[in-house]
Amino acid sequence: MADSVRPLPLLFLDVDGPLIPFGAAPHEYPTYEGGPGLQETSANPLLARIDPSHGPRLAALPCALVWATTWMSDANDCVAPRLGLPRLPVVNWPEPSAVDERDERNGLHWKTRALADWAAGRPFVWVDDEITDRDRAWVTAHHQGQALLHRVDARRGLRDADFAALQVWLERASALGRPPATLPG
């Protein structure tokens, strides 16, 4: 009988904050040159803040990357090429409802329910600069799978420590999803 293989954990990735840092003085941010075929930064000068070294690091993580951003499909057109990433799936946000409005009044981020629904019980990481303890508590109570809600400092964007934390969590989540090894003999 063949072993069933579980899909990789999801990594829901926001753009503004994690990939495009903001909130500090503009001169504090390094900028990176765009390569051939990349959208000019004159359309959005903040695109120059995207560190292209993040692309290979994200691609090397043991997960399935998904855009979870208000950039929507523009993330595939403007951000992915700067990172050297392929086109990724995109979370299409539902229209706001009375439930969403109530959740926001109670401190729940408007993305939280949609991401848990999208994951449908699958392990996931959500990388964003607006995550709170309220979001973590809600996901713990309502999502059947493992989840890591990882908040990034918007003024700094993704850093080495963030990548290390993501790597450790994803490796552990992936290992838990594998069937146990059989011993010889």
Side-chain angles (χ1 to χ4, degrees), residues 18 30 54 57 150 152-153 155-164:
H54 288 342
R57 295 179 81 178
H150 185 79
V152 173
D153 182 345
R155 290 168 294 143
R156 300 179 66 197
L158 281 166
R159 300 295 215 186
D160 290 341
D162 298 306
F163 280 105

Side-chain angles (χ1 to χ4, degrees), residues 118-149:
W118 212 91
R122 188 170 167 182
F124 75 87
V125 174
W126 174 19
V127 177
D128 203 306
D129 61 303
E130 297 180 343
I131 295 168
T132 67
D133 287 339
R134 177 75 176 117
D135 301 304
R136 290 182 183 96
W138 190 93
V139 168
T140 298
H142 295 91
H143 179 65
Q144 297 300 313
Q146 303 170 71
L148 171 66
L149 279 61

